């Protein structure tokens, strides 16, 4: 009877312990979703990249010039759900919440106690992921993919179960179909396996079957790249020449500290633990992995946020180690302080890192933004607003004005709307009340022209630096032409972009469009 009683009490205690942990985890997830919606001011529109990703739902395929196909699948789901702002913001928040969940499970696998779980969840919650998860871009799922793949490796090392090789290969493939950035993770993991006793993995036949599974999953995208002359290389070349050339390697390293500033103690504790803490000896390859991956990022002058996916798994290691260090004597009184640090350091970041202040406020209080380098754009220069914030202004205004110009035209159903960039085209297509179909020679829109119909009018949306000379250049091909309107929001990145109306074509517009497309697609 005594044994049965003890067994019953142990099972009861375990049940209530699990219930308590589950309740706390659900609380963190709830706070995560709440914050993601509270951190955005209604004064801002969507960001330019978001419009492009949403428009991909109307053109489903196995590849795009800008990103792999996974984002378009999410966009299609969002479209089925009504294409509202709520669902657009829901999915990056979901991917961020799942990242927190995986870190929680990693801590459990490392035998972390309740303090370790709460510390890890707090560190993930109050980090750069809050900023990243406000934007509907591939980056949120990219971080989740990295974290799940690291978790699969951790589980394989712990259990030696081959199913984790297949899970890892599947996760890598899905991550690859979301963002090619995950190849940097592969560079770090492959090298670290060779440098440790885990190199014996390369003698396991299941590894190669798992690789074949991953290859089969990404093959449709590779075939798309092949059939389209590998535009990814052209895209990377343009990226390197126009943006990555402005990346400062020292700034890259500085910003790694800022992304998880409230978790630095935990992350550095993980580095120490992976080298010196005996229970983590079998996971030592993780220390080599982060070093090699960061070196690869530095070598290629990658943007700083490309590396965010590295850190969540190290928060798991650090949280478990600190829970052991702080579990006895007077040190246990430091546990609340350790949990409070990420929250306290988040408070000043809250005031600058999110689009929750009006543009006027930011312009009048630029010092904090400038100190953090947030006013520096991809062109390497400082501007009035952070680039992402400026990219969230003027779009709705543009779409409404294009609608108005369109309604004023004769033969309006034979009007081509041609924009300078994908943000303009995507915003018009998202906000229009008239079901218009704007296109551009920029990014994926170059593949989305409908040249099966005749066009007699042209609405031309020009960036501010290309306005001069547009009338003189294009008006000879039309009977009438006017500068119809422009974006007047002075804080918008698109400020000064103009809307021209060209009426009554004297030529077949489609021929000139086809010639321009052929020229643009002739990648150097």
């Amino acid at each position: 009877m005594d044994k049965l009683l003890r067994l019953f009490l142990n099972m009861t205690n375990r049940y209530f312990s699990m219930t308590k942990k589950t309740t706390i985890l659900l609380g963190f997830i709830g706070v995560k979703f709440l914050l993601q919606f509270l951190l955005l001011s209604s004064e801002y529109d969507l960001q330019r990249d978001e419009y492009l990703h949403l428009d991909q739902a109307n053109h489903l395929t196995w590849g795009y010039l800008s990103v792999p196909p996974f984002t378009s699948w999410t966009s299609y789901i969002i479209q089925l759900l009504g294409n509202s702002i709520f669902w657009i913001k829901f999915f990056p928040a979901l991917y961020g919440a799942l990242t927190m969940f995986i870190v929680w499970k990693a801590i459990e696998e490392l035998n972390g106690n309740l303090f370790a779980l709460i510390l890890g969840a707090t560190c993930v919650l109050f980090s750069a992921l809050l900023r990243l998860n406000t934007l509907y871009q591939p980056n949120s799922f990219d971080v989740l993919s990295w974290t799940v793949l690291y978790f699969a490796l951790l589980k394989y090392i712990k259990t030696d179960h081959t199913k984790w090789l297949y899970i890892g290969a599947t996760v890598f493939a899905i991550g690859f179909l979301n963002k090619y950035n995950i190849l940097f993770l592969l560079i770090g993991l492959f090298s670290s396996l060779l440098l440790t006793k885990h190199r014996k993995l390369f003698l396991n036949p299941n590894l190669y079957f798992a690789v074949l599974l991953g290859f089969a999953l990404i093959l449709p995208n590779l075939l798309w790249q092949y059939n389209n002359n590998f535009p990814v290389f052209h895209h990377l070349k343009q990226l390197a020449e126009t943006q990555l050339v402005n990346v400062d390697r020292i700034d890259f390293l500085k910003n790694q500290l800022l992304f998880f500033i409230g978790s630095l103690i935990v992350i550095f504790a993980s580095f120490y633990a992976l080298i010196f803490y005996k229970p983590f000896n079998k996971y030592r390859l993780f220390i080599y992995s982060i070093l090699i991956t960061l070196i690869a990022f530095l070598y290629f002058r990658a943007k700083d946020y490309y590396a965010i996916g590295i850190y969540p798994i190290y928060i798991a290691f650090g949280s478990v180690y600190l829970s052991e260090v702080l579990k006895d004597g007077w040190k246990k009184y430091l546990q609340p302080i350790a949990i409070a640090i990420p929250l306290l350091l988040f408070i000043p970041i809250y005031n600058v890192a999110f689009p929750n202040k009006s543009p006027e406020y930011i312009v009048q209080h630029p010092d904090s933004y400038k100190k953090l380098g947030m006013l520096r754009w991809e062109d390497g220069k400082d501007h009035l607003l952070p680039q992402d914030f400026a990219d969230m202004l003027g779009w709705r205004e543009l779409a409404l004005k294009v609608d108005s110009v369109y309604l004023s035209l004769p033969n309006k159903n034979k009007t081509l709307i041609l924009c300078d960039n994908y943000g303009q085209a995507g915003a018009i297509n998202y906000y229009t009340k008239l079901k218009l179909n704007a296109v551009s020679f920029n990014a994926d829109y170059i593949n989305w022209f409908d040249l099966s119909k005749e066009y007699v009018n042209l609405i031309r949306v020009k960036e501010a630096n290309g306005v001069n000379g547009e009338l003189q250049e294009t008006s000879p091909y039309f009977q009438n032409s006017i500068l119809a309107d422009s974006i007047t929001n002075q804080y918008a990145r698109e400020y000064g972009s103009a809307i021209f109306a060209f009426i009554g074509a004297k030529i077949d517009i489609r021929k000139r469009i086809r010639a321009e497309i052929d020229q643009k697609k002739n990648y150097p």
Side-chain angles (χ1 to χ4, degrees):
M1 287 294 293
D2 289 342
K3 288 183 178 179
L4 287 174
L5 181 61
R6 283 197 297 271
L7 178 61
F8 174 76
L9 290 173
N10 286 337
M11 291 177 64
T12 302
N13 289 334
R14 186 176 300 176
Y15 170 77
F16 282 110
S17 175
M18 290 175 62
T19 303
K20 183 178 181 181
K21 288 180 181 179
T22 302
T23 302
I24 293 172
L25 174 59
L26 291 175
F28 271 106
I29 291 174
V31 171
K32 170 68 176 177
F33 276 103
L34 184 63
L35 283 175
Q36 294 301 161
F37 285 95
L38 290 178
L39 290 171
L40 296 170
S41 170
S42 59
E43 293 185 63
Y44 294 89
D45 301 329
L46 297 176
Q47 197 260 2
R48 79 168 59 221
D49 291 355
E50 295 179 285
Y51 298 114
L52 170 61
H53 302 323
L54 291 168
D55 224 352
Q56 288 171 347
N58 299 310
H59 309 274
L60 295 177
T61 183
W62 272 103
Y64 300 91
L65 302 181
S66 55
V67 292
F70 181 87
T71 303
S72 68
W73 304 339
T74 307
S75 297
Y76 185 71
I77 296 173
I78 291 172
Q79 191 175 86
L80 293 177
L81 292 170
N83 230 21
S84 67
I85 298 296
F86 173 83
W87 290 112
I88 294 169
K89 298 304 180 183
F90 172 83
F91 280 92
L94 173 65
Y95 299 146
L98 289 174
T99 300
M100 183 192 303
F101 172 76
I102 296 300
V103 170
W104 185 282
K105 299 305 292 184
I107 291 171
E108 288 184 335
E109 290 298 327
L110 295 169
N111 301 316
N113 58 22
L114 183 59
F115 163 68
L117 292 167
I118 294 174
L119 177 60
T122 304
C123 289
V124 174
L125 177 60
F126 297 108
S127 70
L129 291 186
L130 272 177
R131 178 73 181 96
L132 201 71
N133 298 152
T134 60
L135 297 172
Y136 179 63
Q137 296 176 343
N139 302 313
S140 292
F141 191 83
D142 185 50
V143 173
L144 174 60
S145 301
W146 283 57
T147 307
V148 177
L149 187 52
Y150 281 133
F151 177 74
L153 177 62
L154 185 156
K155 286 287 290 184
Y156 176 76
I157 293 172
K158 181 179 179 179
T159 66
D160 207 32
H161 289 165
T162 54
K163 72 174 184 179
W164 290 104
L165 295 178
Y166 293 96
I167 292 172
T170 303
V171 170
F172 172 81
I174 297 172
F176 181 89
L177 292 173
N178 171 71
K179 190 175 174 71
Y180 300 130
N181 185 54
I182 202 169
L183 287 170
F184 284 96
L185 180 153
L186 196 63
I187 293 171
L189 284 188
F190 180 82
S191 303
S192 62
L193 286 169
L194 288 175
L195 292 172
T196 63
K197 63 181 181 180
H198 299 292
R199 66 179 69 91
K200 65 183 180 181
L201 176 61
F202 293 106
L203 301 177
N204 187 339
N206 284 288
L207 172 66
Y208 301 100
F209 288 121
V211 169
L212 285 175
L213 170 64
F215 180 76
L217 292 173
I218 68 174
L219 182 59
N221 177 249
L222 297 179
L223 291 175
W224 183 92
Q225 288 285 342
Y226 173 79
N227 290 330
N228 288 272
N229 298 318
F230 288 96
V232 63
F233 295 124
H234 175 67
H235 177 72
L236 290 174
K237 182 174 182 290
Q238 282 189 324
L239 186 68
E241 292 174 349
T242 60
Q243 297 180 24
L244 301 186
V245 69
N246 297 314
V247 172
D248 184 283
R249 292 187 173 104
I250 301 299
D251 285 343
F252 175 93
L253 292 174
K254 287 179 181 177
N255 289 337
Q256 301 309 300
L257 301 177
L258 291 175
F259 290 144
F260 291 88
I261 190 169
S263 313
L264 288 181
I265 294 173
V266 178
I267 292 173
F268 283 120
S270 75
F271 299 160
Y272 177 88
L274 287 167
I275 297 172
F276 299 109
Y277 185 49
K278 285 188 178 180
F280 288 175
N281 278 352
K282 58 186 174 182
Y283 304 115
R284 189 165 292 171
L285 83 164
F286 280 92
I287 201 69
Y288 297 114
S289 179
I290 189 172
L291 289 173
I292 295 169
T293 304
L294 285 174
I295 289 171
F297 276 129
L298 286 169
Y299 176 80
F300 288 102
R301 289 184 177 271
K303 295 181 182 180
D304 49 21
Y305 66 85
Y306 288 3
I308 291 177
I310 293 176
Y311 302 104
I313 198 67
Y314 293 90
I315 288 175
F317 284 110
S319 297
V320 174
Y321 175 68
L322 287 177
S323 71
E324 287 297 310
V325 172
L326 302 179
K327 72 176 182 179
D328 295 321
W330 64 269
K331 293 179 181 177
K332 65 183 180 182
Y333 296 106
L334 296 177
Q335 291 182 4
I337 297 175
I339 293 172
I341 287 174
L343 173 59
L344 292 174
L345 290 179
F346 167 75
I347 294 173
I349 293 174
Y350 165 84
N351 291 320
V352 295
F354 304 93
N356 52 15
K357 301 286 192 302
S358 70
E360 291 80 8
Y361 177 90
I362 297 173
V363 171
Q364 293 168 13
H365 305 84
D367 293 343
S368 298
Y369 298 88
K370 191 166 186 175
K371 284 179 183 177
L372 294 174
M374 295 184 64
L375 299 182
R376 192 184 190 203
W377 289 11
E378 290 172 345
D379 60 8
K381 300 175 182 178
D382 282 355
H383 296 261
L384 290 176
L385 297 184
Q387 181 170 308
D388 275 348
F389 296 7
D391 263 340
M392 298 178 189
L393 296 167
W395 303 114
R396 195 186 305 264
E397 176 191 354
L398 171 65
L400 293 176
K401 288 181 175 179
V402 168
D403 274 2
S404 178
V405 173
Y406 178 85
L407 288 172
S408 69
L409 298 178
N411 297 313
K412 59 180 66 65
N413 61 327
K414 295 183 178 181
T415 300
L416 175 67
I417 304 172
L418 180 61
C419 304
D420 264 3
N421 62 63
Y422 63 81
Q424 297 166 344
I428 292 168
N429 294 342
Y430 180 77
Y431 288 115
T432 180
K433 305 298 183 183
L434 306 174
K435 296 184 179 181
L436 303 182
N437 182 33
V439 288
S440 172
F441 295 120
N442 182 229
D444 299 300
Y445 285 95
I446 197 170
N447 291 323
W448 298 344
F449 282 83
D450 181 7
L451 299 180
S452 64
K453 59 185 292 187
E454 179 187 5
Y455 297 105
V456 298
N457 303 320
L458 171 67
I459 294 178
R460 187 74 172 93
V461 181
K462 292 289 293 183
E463 294 174 352
N465 59 8
V467 169
N468 294 334
E470 179 62 27
L471 282 175
Q472 182 179 358
E473 179 182 344
T474 308
S475 59
Y477 303 105
F478 293 86
Q479 296 174 9
N480 297 297
S481 56
I482 57 168
L483 171 57
D485 217 324
S486 65
I487 295 180
T488 58
N489 188 330
Q490 61 179 318
Y491 301 118
R493 191 176 176 188
E494 291 289 327
Y495 172 60
S497 292
I499 304 168
F500 294 90
F502 299 98
I503 307 163
K506 300 176 182 178
I507 60 169
D508 187 346
I509 297 176
R510 291 173 296 182
K511 289 183 178 180
R512 295 188 64 85
I513 294 296
R514 287 193 187 98
E516 187 74 17
I517 290 174
D518 290 341
Q519 182 181 356
K520 296 285 185 182
K521 284 190 172 182
N522 185 22
Y523 304 126

